[in-house]
Amino acid sequence: MEHIWKTQWKGKLYFSHRSNHSSRVMVLVRSDLDLNLISINSDDEGHSIVMEAEVQGSPYLFVNIYAPNKSQDQCIFDKLNNNIDDCVANKELKIILGGDFNATLDSDLDCSGGRPFTKDFVKNIQNLCFDFDLVDIWRIRNSERRLFTWRQKNPCIQRRLDYWLISDACQDEIEKSDIIPSINSDHS
């Protein structure tokens, strides 16, 4: 599968593998982006990639996450918090963290249908935001809007489970944040 993606994508690809036959998270870098990769770390389960890089001379930390669905597997957030902390120690890095968190941060705005509830590990996500001064850029730009990134057809249940959490200082650099439909996926 990795070979197929490499033939279709003209830039660089970085994977976090769970096995030889699956990749849970991936980062794609456009070929025309001035990116100097400094370091890259991924966990053994394929749940995250943490990349320190310079983009057009500015230092960034890019994080892609696929959080497990089950609450008992959510220690990923503690590991991720420690990993990010190690990377940003004594550095001025702008953080861009995105992915499938498998949780809703606001059950009123991010849920439709079913019986919404707040998972215990949402506190871990909130701690990440607090510890590293991260904001949910889509929610800031769409304070009352209800769009969803995951759906089930019957019965109709929709959730916003995917997020872009960015350093608060990066807000002015973001031109657009949107949720668009995806083909052949339960996520947008």
Side-chain angles (χ1 to χ4, degrees), residues 97-120:
L97 190 163
D100 180 355
F101 287 77
N102 269 314
T104 56
L105 300 180
D106 183 327
S107 58
D108 292 330
L109 292 172
D110 296 333
C111 298
S112 175
R115 289 183 297 220
F117 65 95
T118 302
K119 294 182 177 179
D120 292 336

Side-chain angles (χ1 to χ4, degrees), residues 23-24 28 36 59 62 72 81 83 104-105 108 114 133 147 154 161 165 181 185:
S23 176
R24 288 213 174 151
L28 296 100
N36 176 30
F62 297 102
Q72 65 264 30
N81 196 315
N83 196 347
T104 56
L105 300 180
D108 292 330
D133 197 24
L147 284 178
N154 194 8
L161 305 177
L165 306 176
S185 175

Side-chain angles (χ1 to χ4, degrees), residues 12-64:
K12 293 182 182 173
L13 295 104
Y14 302 96
F15 300 88
S16 180
H17 292 282
R18 181 176 184 192
S19 72
N20 291 338
H21 303 292
S22 68
S23 176
R24 288 213 174 151
V25 294
M26 173 173 49
V27 174
L28 296 100
V29 179
R30 289 187 345 222
S31 60
D32 63 341
L33 183 66
D34 178 17
L35 182 133
N36 176 30
L37 183 64
I38 295 167
S39 67
I40 186 166
N41 295 304
S42 60
D43 71 319
D44 295 334
E45 292 296 312
H47 289 292
S48 66
I49 296 177
V50 178
M51 296 174 48
E52 183 180 346
E54 284 187 0
V55 176
Q56 298 172 326
S58 295
Y60 284 89
L61 190 69
F62 297 102
V63 183
N64 188 350

